[in-house]
Structures are given as structure tokens and as C-alpha cells.
């Protein structure tokens, strides 16, 4: 894909913190937890090491903070390391309290000569004391706030989840009980056994005559316990989710910015999606619109407004992300905006190219356009016609009927779109949007296209819907009609679909393409069977557009998997698992 990265300027947005010593302590804290997690996982697979650690814990000996041996202990420690890495204040408090309690117990135990005689205990005391000192020294680095509802949610998860898990454990013990005198035990006793197994990860079977579950059942109960603890930790440490959506005043000011600077970015109008939030520059001359998804503060397109004021909006957006422990990311930024974001510490990765058509340069003439010209003439001879109107010129009753047909033709139950879709159709505030209605020879509506304004003389594709029983080539016919009749709307430039990894498909098929590039192209072609990656490129290339590169901006490469998941959720390709449909806040999102 060529040189897909920008050089990052060393001058980044200032972060809260207590200086170099505090930052070193912060780094030492989460690296200590990472090391402990590694040893815990190692002891889970290295039998002799695991036995040594467990023996130290059982024979009046002590091991360093959170080193208890086993896979579950490793998972907990990794979770704490991740939350500490994200500077979560709640994680710092939990680690300080737990390590402080451990340190106090170690100090008290050292008053006994038998325990002082073991060198391992002095090592444990020193490591735990060092961790406590490190936490105190780096306290200013742990400033990320959680959601205010987290404590209440964590208690609810602990109580409700504990009750459900204990009942499941009791049922499992009942079903799998292999004791010869199983009839002697009551369900209460089996529930008691399962609950103890959940809480202590063990149970004294001698106290429970008539209860003898197989080992795998005990392991399942232990796994339930691990999942429950992780769920409680997640509820306690999750990033703030509820953010203020656009207010009427915000939307009014954003529309004023679009009126003055909207021609700079074809994706600018999509900042008006109403589930987004906005951060303003101090002068209100620029703004960054974003949405928080899965702990990722996801912006899209370029900042709105005067480019000279962009840094004034980018800096507070990054500061807000860090204050709440969000991962900052930008989808689909242009090259100029990507360079400005890079100066604030973000790295850039080329995602693909946006297809832009200059109306004055577009023509159906020539050998290169022969296939497109033939398809266009075939659809026109079939009797199809296109009507072009501004949304404001469509009567309310007609618009309601168009919205209903668009919903009927939607591919699947989920509305899709975020970075290149407005997410609504027929809103009175969007009167300058342009609607294309295609009817067949009998006057029946067969397809719709909707475009949002791109400055005073441009249009950007928002929605494409068609009747599946209509003829092929209908969308191409409508786009060409718009380009040929652009004078009706005063349009000079049109933004069409975004083609991911366009350069791979274009260069990978050329003579002399290297083996890595050809392999990458083959993989993308394979996945295109499901995600239409190559077909979108082909569909746009037929108009011979100007290709404008778009970039993904991010802070750390390690964040890319989470950013990808958040993007997929925002665009409507994935939904958060585990919640009923009626609990999800529905956003009217449209696939571009």
C-alpha cells in the first residue's frame, strides 16, 4: 500500500502527570503486573513451578502480590495490568488497597521467627513493598475516570451474578453427583457445596457426605467463578459510556461551520449524526465530532471548521479521551487532517480511497467507457426514468412513503453506517439533501439514492436502496443521470463510495507486482465474497474518478484490534453481545 504512515511529531498533546519520576513509576507498576501474570500462566503449565508456588502459599510462607499460581490468577493479573496501563484511577485504588493489605499481613507475619527464617518471605515482602511504593510514586499518572454508575453496577453484577452462578453450580453438582449415597444429600447442601467452590475455588468434601461430583464439574464451577470475578472487575473499571449527544445549539453551530468550510471535506455533513458528541476549540471555529464505542472515542472524517483552528479542537478531544481512559481513533481522515492529527501524537494508516467525480470532466464517450455506456443505454431503453429533487421540495406525504420504501429495501434488519452515512432520511433539517427516485416504465418506484451537501456545489453519497427485483445496473444509471443533469442542482463535484485497500487491487494486478502484494490482493479477494471489498472498488472505478486517500489515525498499534471492533460496531456490522435487542439504544444508521 506504499508509505501508509506519517512521521509523528515529538510534540504531542500535554498529558496530566507528575513528571518523569511519576511516569517511570507508572510504567514499573503495570510491568510488574505483567511479569506476575507471566509467572502465573507459566505455573499453570509448569507443574513443578506451580506446586512450589502453592506450597509457599500453604505452609506459612508468602508469595509476592497476586502471585498465586494458575491460569485464573494469570487472567486476573492481566486484567489488572491492562486497566493500570490505561491509567484507570479505580484500578490504582484497588491495587493500592490490596497490596497494602498484603504488605500489612507480611509485616505482621515477619514478627514470627519461623516465617523470618525463610528467605523467600523476605523477597515477597520486598517485592510487595516495592509495588506499594511504586503505586504511591506514580499516583498522578492514574487519572482516567470511570463511569459514575460503575460501583452500583459492579455490586449488582456481583450480587445478581453470584446468585445465578451459585444456582447453576448447585444444579450442576446435582446432575453430576456420583456419590453412592447421593440420596442423603439435599439440594441445599449441594448448593452450599457449589457456592463454597465458587468462593474458595475448593470445598472440603469430607464436610459434605453424599456429594461426590466428577472433577470436570468442579472445574466448570471454578470457571464460573473466574467469569464472575472478571465480570465484576469489568463493571467496576469500564470507561464512561454515557456522553452528551449533539444539542440543538451544537447542531446549529456545526451547520454554520459547514456553511463556511463545508467544501473542505466531503464527509463533513455526516458529523451531524445525532448520536455523536462534539468537542469545540476555544474559539468555536473548529470542532471534532465523535462517538464512544467499546471504550474507543471514534471520530470520523476531518475536524470541522477552519484548519488553523483544528489543533484547538483536537487537543481537548485527546485530553477528554485520556481523562476517561478512552482510546482515541479517527476513521477516514483526509491527508491534510491526518498530518495535523499526527502532530498531536497519532499515527496514520492508509485505509483506502474515496471516489470523487468532477462533473465537468465526466463523459460517457471513449472506448474506456464503452461498457458503462452500454449498460446505461440498456436501462434507459427499458423505460427507467430518474427524478431529482432537494428534500425540501418533496411533500411530507411523499417523503414518508419514500422512507417506508427505503426501509423495505434495506439489506437486513440492522441499519449500517457511521463515518460515511447520515443515519436518517427525511428529517426537516436536511432539506438541502438531494433525492434521486428511479421509476420503471410503468411508473413504479424501483430505487432511491440520497446525497448530502458537500459545500455549496458538491454532493456526497449517503444512501443507496433498490428493489431486488429490478434490473441490474440501476444504481449506475442513476449516478450517471445525476452527473449528466448536475446543472439542475448546481453540482460540480460528487463523492461516491469509499473503496478500502484500492491501491492493493489496482497495483496487485499489474505486471511485475511482488509476491507479498499479490498474496495480499488474493486474501482481500477471498474476503470480498462476504464484505464486498473488491466489488466496491470495481463499482467506483467505472466512473474513472479522482481517488482521494483516507486514513485511520491511532495512538498505539496494540489498540488496532479494539479500534477495528469499535468501528465494526459503529458501522453496524457487529452488535454488543449478551444484551436483548430492546436494551440496545437504536441508532438510525444507513449503509453507504
Amino acid at each position: 500500500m506504499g508509505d501508509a504512515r506519517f512521521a509523528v511529531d515529538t510534540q504531542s498533546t500535554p498529558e496530566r502527570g507528575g513528571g518523569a519520576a511519576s511516569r517511570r513509576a507508572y510504567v514499573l507498576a503495570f510491568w510488574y503486573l505483567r511479569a506476575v501474570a507471566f509467572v502465573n500462566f507459566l505455573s499453570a503449565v509448569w507443574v513443578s513451578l506451580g506446586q512450589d508456588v502453592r506450597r509457599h502459599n500453604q505452609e506459612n510462607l508468602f508469595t509476592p502480590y497476586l502471585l498465586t499460581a494458575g491460569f485464573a490468577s494469570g487472567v486476573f493479573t492481566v486484567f489488572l495490568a491492562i486497566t493500570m496501563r490505561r491509567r484507570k484511577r479505580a484500578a490504582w485504588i484497588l491495587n493500592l488497597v490490596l497490596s497494602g493489605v498484603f504488605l500489612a499481613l507480611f509485616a505482621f507475619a515477619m514478627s514470627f521467627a519461623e516465617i523470618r527464617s525463610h528467605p523467600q518471605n523476605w523477597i515477597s515482602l520486598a517485592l510487595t513493598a516495592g509495588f506499594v511504593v511504586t503505586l504511591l510514586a506514580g499516583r498522578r499518572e492514574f487519572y482516567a475516570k470511570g463511569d459514575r454508575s460503575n460501583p452500583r453496577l459492579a455490586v449488582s453484577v456481583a450480587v445478581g451474578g453470584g446468585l445465578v452462578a451459585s444456582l447453576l453450580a448447585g444444579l450442576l453438582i446435582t446432575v453430576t453427583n456420583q456419590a453412592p449415597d447421593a440420596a442423603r444429600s439435599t439440594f441445599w447442601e449441594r448448593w452450599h457445596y457449589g457456592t463454597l467452590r465458587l468462593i474458595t475455588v475448593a470445598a472440603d468434601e469430607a464436610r459434605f457426605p453424599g456429594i461426590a461430583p466428577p472433577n470436570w464439574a468442579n472445574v466448570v464451577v471454578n470457571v464460573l467463578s473466574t467469569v464472575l470475578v472478571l465480570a465484576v472487575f469489568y463493571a467496576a473499571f469500564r470507561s464512561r459510556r454515557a456522553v452528551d449527544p449533539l444539542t440543538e445549539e451544537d447542531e446549529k453551530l456545526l451547520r454554520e461551520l459547514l456553511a463556511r468550510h463545508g467544501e473542505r471535506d466531503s464527509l463533513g455533513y455526516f458529523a451531524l449524526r445525532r448520536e455523536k458528541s462534539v468537542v469545540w476549540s476555544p474559539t468555536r471555529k473548529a470542532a471534532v465530532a465523535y462517538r464512544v464505542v467499546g471504550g474507543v472515542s471514534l471520530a470520523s472524517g476531518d475536524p470541522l471548521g477552519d484548519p488553523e483552528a483544528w489543533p484547538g479542537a483536537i487537543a481537548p478531544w485527546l485530553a477528554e479521551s485520556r481523562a476517561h481512559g478512552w482510546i482515541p481513533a479517527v476513521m477516514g481522515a483526509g491527508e491534510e487532517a491526518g498530518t495535523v492529527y499526527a502532530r498531536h501524537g497519532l499515527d496514520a494508516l492508509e485505509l483506502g480511497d474515496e471516489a470523487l467525480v468532477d462533473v465537468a470532466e465526466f463523459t460517457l464517450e471513449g472506448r474506456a467507457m464503452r461498457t458503462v455506456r452500454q449498460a446505461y443505454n440498456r436501462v434507459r431503453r427499458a423505460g427507467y426514468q430518474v427524478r431529482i429533487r432537494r428534500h425540501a421540495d418533496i411533500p411530507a406525504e411523499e417523503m414518508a412513503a419514500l422512507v417506508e420504501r427505503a426501509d423495505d429495501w434495506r439489506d437486513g434488519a440492522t441499519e449500517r453506517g457511521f463515518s460515511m452515512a447520515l443515519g436518517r432520511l427525511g428529517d426537516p433539517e436536511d432539506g438541502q439533501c438531494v433525492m434521486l427516485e428511479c421509476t420503471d416504465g410503468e411508473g413504479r418506484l424501483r430505487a432511491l439514492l440520497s446525497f448530502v451537501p458537500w459545500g455549496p456545489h458538491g454532493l456526497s453519497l449517503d444512501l443507496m436502496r433498490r428493489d431486488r427485483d429490478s434490473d441490474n445496473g440501476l444504481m449506475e444509471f442513476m449516478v450517471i443521470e445525476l452527473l449528466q443533469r448536475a446543472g439542475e442542482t448546481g453540482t460540480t463535484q460528487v463523492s461516491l463510495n469509499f473503496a478500502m485497500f484500492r491501491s492493493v487491487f489496482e497495483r496487485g494486478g499489474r505486471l511485475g507486482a511482488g509476491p507479498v502484494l499479490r498474496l495480499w490482493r488474493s486474501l482481500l479477494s477471498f474476503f470480498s465474497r462476504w464484505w464486498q471489498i473488491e466489488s466496491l472498488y470495481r463499482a467506483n472505478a467505472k466512473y474513472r474518478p479522482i481517488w482521494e486517500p483516507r486514513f485511520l489515525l491511532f495512538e498505539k498499534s496494540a489498540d488496532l484490534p479494539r479500534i477495528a471492533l469499535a468501528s465494526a460496531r459503529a458501522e453496524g456490522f457487529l452488535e454488543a453481545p449478551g444484551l436483548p435487542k430492546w436494551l440496545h439504544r437504536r441508532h438510525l444508521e444507513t449503509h453507504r
Side-chain angles (χ1 to χ4, degrees):
M1 292 189 298
D3 186 8
R5 294 177 178 264
F6 292 109
V8 177
D9 197 309
T10 55
Q11 180 182 4
S12 61
T13 304
E15 294 185 8
R16 297 170 58 183
S22 180
R23 283 193 291 273
R24 282 196 294 270
Y26 151 74
V27 172
L28 282 173
F30 71 77
W31 269 108
Y32 170 80
L33 291 173
R34 286 178 175 179
V36 170
F38 173 76
V39 175
N40 276 323
F41 283 128
L42 188 62
S43 67
V45 296
W46 188 352
V47 177
S48 61
L49 175 61
Q51 289 175 344
D52 287 342
V53 175
R54 283 186 284 274
R55 177 173 57 81
H56 282 262
N57 286 333
Q58 295 167 1
E59 298 179 2
N60 294 326
L61 302 173
F62 297 88
T63 51
Y65 172 61
L66 284 182
L67 182 57
T68 56
F71 183 79
S73 303
V75 171
F76 296 149
T77 316
V78 165
F79 189 94
L80 289 176
I82 291 173
T83 53
M84 293 284 281
R85 180 70 179 85
R86 293 175 186 163
R87 305 174 185 268
K88 297 292 183 70
R89 187 72 176 177
W92 177 83
I93 293 172
L94 176 65
N95 277 284
L96 183 63
V97 170
L98 290 179
S99 59
V101 170
F102 271 70
L103 182 61
L105 291 174
F106 284 2
F108 174 75
M110 286 299 179
S111 64
F112 298 95
E114 179 185 355
I115 294 178
R116 286 201 306 270
S117 64
H118 295 279
Q120 302 94 321
N121 294 337
W122 289 102
I123 296 174
S124 298
L125 179 64
L127 287 175
T128 304
F131 184 64
V132 171
V133 171
T134 300
L135 289 176
L136 292 173
R139 63 190 181 280
R140 295 183 181 275
E141 298 298 319
F142 299 95
Y143 49 74
K145 309 170 190 174
D147 197 290
R148 291 182 179 179
S149 65
N150 284 0
R152 185 170 60 253
L153 178 63
V155 171
S156 301
V157 171
V159 174
L163 179 60
V164 172
S166 66
L167 289 174
L168 289 175
L171 288 172
L172 181 62
I173 299 303
T174 299
V175 172
T176 61
N177 192 6
Q178 296 176 341
D181 52 349
R184 290 177 51 193
S185 64
T186 64
F187 180 77
W188 171 259
E189 292 173 329
R190 294 188 291 272
W191 175 83
H192 189 197
Y193 175 92
T195 303
L196 283 178
R197 189 96 196 171
L198 278 172
I199 297 173
T200 65
V201 199
D204 185 3
E205 297 186 3
R207 294 177 50 194
F208 298 94
I211 299 178
N215 187 58
W216 68 263
N218 288 329
V219 171
V220 170
V221 175
N222 296 157
V223 171
L224 274 176
S225 175
T226 302
V227 171
L228 177 61
V229 173
L230 287 176
V232 173
F233 278 7
Y234 176 77
F237 299 147
R238 66 176 186 153
S239 300
R240 183 186 176 208
R241 291 184 176 185
V243 292
D244 298 326
L246 289 181
T247 64
E248 291 184 5
E249 180 65 18
D250 287 331
E251 186 170 337
K252 177 183 176 182
L253 293 174
L254 288 176
R255 289 183 183 276
E256 291 176 1
L257 289 183
L258 287 170
R260 293 196 297 269
H261 305 282
E263 73 280 357
R264 301 194 64 89
D265 184 17
S266 62
L267 309 186
Y269 199 87
F270 301 125
L272 299 177
R273 289 179 65 97
R274 290 180 182 139
E275 87 274 26
K276 290 185 177 181
S277 301
V278 64
V279 171
W280 294 93
S281 67
T283 61
R284 294 259 170 167
K285 292 183 178 180
V288 173
Y290 68 95
R291 176 183 167 194
V292 178
V293 184
V296 177
S297 181
L298 198 62
S300 60
D302 297 351
L304 270 66
D306 186 349
E308 293 186 2
W310 285 355
I314 293 173
W317 169 65
L318 290 173
E320 183 182 50
S321 298
R322 289 160 184 157
H324 293 291
W326 297 331
I327 296 172
V330 186
M331 292 175 57
E335 189 165 358
E336 181 182 6
T339 303
V340 178
Y341 276 115
R343 290 172 184 161
H344 286 75
L346 300 187
D347 205 351
L349 180 68
E350 187 177 349
L351 281 178
D353 298 85
E354 180 186 13
L356 307 178
V357 179
D358 187 327
V359 172
E361 299 294 327
F362 178 77
T363 177
L364 282 177
E365 303 300 324
R367 184 176 181 83
M369 300 296 290
R370 178 183 177 185
T371 302
V372 178
R373 184 171 61 249
Q374 289 175 341
Y376 171 79
N377 291 331
R378 175 179 53 79
V379 174
R380 186 178 60 178
R381 287 194 300 267
Y384 286 92
Q385 295 183 342
V386 174
R387 186 180 188 182
I388 302 176
R389 291 185 287 179
R390 296 277 181 184
H391 285 202
D393 299 329
I394 303 176
E397 298 80 7
E398 287 188 41
M399 180 61 77
L402 294 176
V403 172
E404 183 178 358
R405 295 305 299 275
D407 289 340
D408 292 340
W409 293 334
R410 185 175 60 227
D411 184 12
T414 304
E415 292 277 8
R416 293 177 178 173
F418 169 73
S419 57
M420 298 182 181
L422 186 58
R424 58 182 182 264
L425 186 64
D427 191 290
E429 297 295 325
D430 302 319
Q432 290 305 301
C433 293
V434 172
M435 180 77 78
L436 275 69
E437 307 156 58
C438 185
T439 56
D440 61 16
E442 299 178 2
R444 294 176 299 179
L445 184 66
R446 287 307 188 99
L448 293 172
L449 289 182
S450 184
F451 291 80
V452 300
W454 170 19
H457 303 295
L459 294 175
S460 188
L461 181 59
D462 172 32
L463 175 142
M464 302 176 68
R465 298 281 167 82
R466 76 177 183 92
D467 187 341
R468 294 179 181 82
D469 297 328
S470 61
D471 293 346
N472 291 328
L474 219 54
M475 292 302 176
E476 292 83 353
F477 174 73
M478 296 173 72
V479 170
I480 293 172
E481 281 287 298
L482 173 67
L483 296 174
Q484 291 184 335
R485 297 161 55 186
E488 297 179 18
T489 54
T491 302
T492 60
Q493 55 186 353
V494 177
S495 169
L496 300 175
N497 274 308
F498 172 74
M500 288 189 68
F501 308 115
R502 177 200 66 88
S503 60
V504 176
F505 293 111
E506 184 173 283
R507 293 166 51 204
R510 291 179 181 173
L511 182 66
V516 175
L517 187 59
R518 290 200 302 269
L519 176 61
W520 183 219
R521 183 177 184 273
S522 299
L523 285 174
L524 291 177
S525 297
F526 174 76
F527 287 115
S528 292
R529 299 177 184 179
W530 297 278
W531 294 325
Q532 300 180 336
I533 302 173
E534 186 172 9
S535 60
L536 272 176
Y537 159 64
R538 302 289 179 199
N540 288 291
K542 64 181 63 175
Y543 303 108
R544 306 183 69 80
I546 302 167
W547 294 107
E548 195 70 28
R550 291 280 177 174
F551 298 87
L552 169 69
L553 282 303
F554 58 95
E555 273 194 316
K556 304 177 186 70
S557 299
D559 294 333
L560 288 175
R562 287 195 68 192
I563 294 171
L565 286 175
S567 302
R569 286 180 56 188
E571 296 288 354
F573 292 103
L574 292 177
E575 291 189 25
L579 293 177
K581 293 286 187 181
W582 58 273
L583 285 178
H584 286 287
R585 186 177 65 176
R586 301 297 297 170
H587 301 302
L588 293 178
E589 301 168 348
T590 312
H591 179 47
R592 182 174 180 172

